[in-house]
């Protein structure tokens, strides 16, 4: 069995893992870092909503993994199988082991398509789509363009999910297209959300409810998709009153989401299955030389790329302090951002921290995030993808420097 060792080992080559590696190497360019990531392609996932809305081309959201691995980091093209934290060791799918002084866990979240009966067999056909899979986002746009009448259902599973606004974004963009095409009045639109509220931060709900009314959307809360019969175009939802069956011509499905199995089964996991870390320092609660961030962390923040952008510098600073035998000094305040595309050209820019506290990046006179704005659309469509590829993944911490420790 092969055994290699590195000072810092990062599990996951997604937004959180790459951004953290880049932030560490900005501070210590010669540090020995390895990134464990089996995928050959890196995706800008926030762009998939725009692909499904006919705004972005899918290819613009994808780049070869080799092009985003930071210079100086070692790329280990393997899947992670298990963790042995007492031995400072990770075991890979091929049986080899990697030893570390500091471990950073960022493998993302797993899309549990299989938890909805009949869904996997019908995805990408029979009018059933999902922007949560890259190859299906273009199919979403195809369905939206082709639907002239009938019923469109948009679903949202129980939390946690990545980008809690994405289930709505696709719906608003679709409705805006149908309105412009003059067919919205011939399409019955339903939003079936397993949760009890339209959006988790109350300040943004009034603006969203205006669009629910404007587009004539039938809002059903406490309604969770449990089964799909694609050929018959029928969906089954669990509600407080029992099961409800709905027919559809088009359905956009958001799958339930869980921790990757190798993490959930490991000693690193909290009860939720996610990496058990302090929500401010992002340091593991039992092993001080382990940190976790991104969608796989146990923190109660919204799971978004914007959250990972803020978390990466915090982990970078605290991991380097751990290597030098000191305690963490950087703190994460729970920041998350969800640019809600309410129509083509306008966005409600939700930005918030722990406890639903509003955390705007810009002064209100420039952008009032609780109201739809054109400037926010320009930010989402033009600026954020550029910042992602050229800033976040390169260790440039624009609007994302590590904060001081928050009083707990």
């Amino acid at each position: 069995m092969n055994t290699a060792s590195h000072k810092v080992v990062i599990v996951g080559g997604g937004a959180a893992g790459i951004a953290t590696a880049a932030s560490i190497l900005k501070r210590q360019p010669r540090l020995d870092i390895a990134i464990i990531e089996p995928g050959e392609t890196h995706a800008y996932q926030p762009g998939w909503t725009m692909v499904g809305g006919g705004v972005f081309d899918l290819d613009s959201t994808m780049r070869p993994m080799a092009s985003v691995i930071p210079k100086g980091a070692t790329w280990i093209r393997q899947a992670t199988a298990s963790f042995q934290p007492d031995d400072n060791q990770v075991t890979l799918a091929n049986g080899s082991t990697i030893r570390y002084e500091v471990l950073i866990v960022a493998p993302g979240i797993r899309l549990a398509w299989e938890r909805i009966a009949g869904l996997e067999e019908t995805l990408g056909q029979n009018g059933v789509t999902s922007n949560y899979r890259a190859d299906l986002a273009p199919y979403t746009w195809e369905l939206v363009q082709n639907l002239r009448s009938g019923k469109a259902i948009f679903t949202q599973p129980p939390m946690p999910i990545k980008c809690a606004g994405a289930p709505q974004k696709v719906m608003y963009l679709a409705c805006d297209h149908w309105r412009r095409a003059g067919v919205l009045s011939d399409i019955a639109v339903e939003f079936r959300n397993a949760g009890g509220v339209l959006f988790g931060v109350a300040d943004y709900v009034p603006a969203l409810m205006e669009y629910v009314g404007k587009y004539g959307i039938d809002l059903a809360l406490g309604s969770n998709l449990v089964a799909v019969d694609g050929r018959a175009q029928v969906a089954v939802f669990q509600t407080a009153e029992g099961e409800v069956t709905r027919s559809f011509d088009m359905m956009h499905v958001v799958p339930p989401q869980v921790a990757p199995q190798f993490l959930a089964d490991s000693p690193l996991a909290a009860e939720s299955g996610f990496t058990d870390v302090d929500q401010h320092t992002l340091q593991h609660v039992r092993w001080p030389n382990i940190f976790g961030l991104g969608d796989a962390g146990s923190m109660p923040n919204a799971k978004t790329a914007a959250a990972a952008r803020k978390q990466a510098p915090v982990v970078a600073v605290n991991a380097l302090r751990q290597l030098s035998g000191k305690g963490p000094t950087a703190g994460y305040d729970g920041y998350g951002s969800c640019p809600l595309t309410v129509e083509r050209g306008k966005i409600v820019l939700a930005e918030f921290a722990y406890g639903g506290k509003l955390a705007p990046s810009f002064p209100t006179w420039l952008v009032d995030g609780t109201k739809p704005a054109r400037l926010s659309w320009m930010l989402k469509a033009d600026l954020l993808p550029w910042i992602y590829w050229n800033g976040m993944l390169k260790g440039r911490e624009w609007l994302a420097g590590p904060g001081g420790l928050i009083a707990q």
Side-chain angles (χ1 to χ4, degrees):
M1 191 191 300
N2 295 330
T3 301
S5 65
H6 297 274
K7 278 267 189 194
V8 176
V9 170
I10 298 175
V11 172
I18 297 293
T20 304
S23 281
I24 291 174
L25 287 166
K26 274 280 178 195
R27 290 170 170 82
Q28 283 196 26
R30 291 189 175 82
L31 192 66
D32 174 21
I33 295 183
I35 300 169
I36 302 171
E37 170 55 57
E40 293 289 328
T41 304
H42 183 100
Y44 175 59
Q45 293 183 35
W48 293 348
T49 288
M50 303 292 256
V51 175
V55 182
F56 285 1
D57 178 70
L58 182 62
D59 288 345
S60 72
T61 69
M62 319 285 264
R63 294 198 183 169
M65 187 64 69
S67 71
V68 300
I69 299 286
K71 191 181 171 194
T74 301
W75 178 20
I76 299 169
R77 302 183 199 197
Q78 278 291 321
T80 301
S82 60
F83 299 100
Q84 296 79 47
D86 289 332
D87 300 323
N88 296 325
Q89 184 177 284
V90 175
T91 299
L92 304 180
N94 67 358
S96 62
T97 55
I98 310 290
R99 293 182 62 79
Y100 57 81
E101 288 183 34
V102 164
L103 175 67
I104 296 167
V105 184
I109 202 165
R110 186 176 80 78
L111 305 178
W113 305 100
E114 76 285 352
R115 295 196 175 188
I116 298 170
L119 176 59
E120 287 178 294
E121 301 92 287
T122 193
L123 271 172
Q125 55 188 337
N126 304 316
V128 182
T129 188
S130 180
N131 288 347
Y132 276 74
R133 225 175 73 184
D135 61 317
L136 294 179
Y139 182 53
T140 302
W141 178 230
E142 187 185 311
L143 291 173
V144 168
Q145 288 176 291
N146 290 338
L147 191 67
R148 313 293 292 178
S149 63
K151 187 189 288 180
I153 298 178
F154 298 83
T155 76
Q156 179 171 323
M159 292 295 164
I161 62 170
K162 56 181 168 181
C163 192
Q168 290 178 63
K169 295 178 195 183
V170 56
M171 174 175 69
Y172 299 137
L173 283 176
C175 286
D176 183 53
H177 174 80
W178 294 326
R179 179 179 64 85
R180 290 166 192 256
V183 298
L184 182 59
S185 58
D186 298 319
I187 298 172
V189 182
E190 295 182 9
F191 184 42
R192 297 200 154 259
N193 182 347
V197 292
L198 178 61
F199 192 71
V201 183
D203 295 74
Y204 300 106
V205 171
L208 298 176
M209 282 303 296
E210 269 188 45
Y211 278 91
V212 168
K214 175 180 174 178
Y215 295 136
I217 295 165
D218 178 9
L219 177 60
L221 300 173
S223 183
N224 186 33
L225 179 65
V226 291
V228 183
D229 181 339
R231 280 197 182 151
Q233 292 194 304
V234 166
V236 180
F237 294 85
Q238 187 67 50
T239 71
E241 291 76 42
E243 287 193 347
V244 174
T245 301
R246 308 295 291 168
S247 63
F248 62 86
D249 296 285
M250 167 191 170
M251 183 164 67
H252 180 276
V253 179
V254 178
Q257 294 166 42
V258 296
Q261 203 61 47
F262 69 86
L263 173 58
D265 291 341
S266 81
L268 305 187
E271 211 170 298
S272 62
F274 297 106
T275 315
D276 200 358
V277 295
D278 178 275
Q279 67 176 34
H280 297 299
T281 64
L282 308 181
Q283 185 176 41
H284 200 278
V285 298
R286 292 185 294 284
W287 289 279
N289 66 331
I290 298 176
F291 296 83
L293 78 158
D295 293 348
S298 64
M299 310 81 70
N301 64 280
K303 295 182 184 293
T304 68
R309 182 167 61 85
K310 292 276 192 172
Q311 293 163 6
V314 171
V315 171
V317 167
N318 290 343
L320 287 171
R321 285 188 63 83
Q322 179 66 31
L323 278 174
S324 60
K326 299 168 187 162
T329 55
Y332 169 60
D333 64 359
Y335 176 87
S337 171
C338 194
L340 291 142
T341 48
V342 288
E343 61 178 278
R344 195 172 181 127
K346 283 195 180 174
I347 273 176
V348 171
L349 183 59
E351 294 182 282
F352 44 89
Y354 286 137
K357 181 181 171 216
L358 299 196
S361 297
F362 308 100
T364 312
W365 60 264
L366 185 62
V367 176
D368 180 352
T370 64
K371 295 183 173 65
R374 291 200 177 280
L375 196 59
S376 301
W377 176 272
M378 290 162 65
L379 184 73
K380 165 84 175 167
D382 304 321
L383 199 57
L384 286 180
W386 191 88
I387 287 175
Y388 182 83
W389 296 114
N390 301 290
M392 179 175 167
L393 299 190
K394 305 287 188 195
R396 297 185 178 101
E397 294 159 12
W398 301 320
L399 299 173
L405 267 181
I406 294 104
Q408 297 176 40

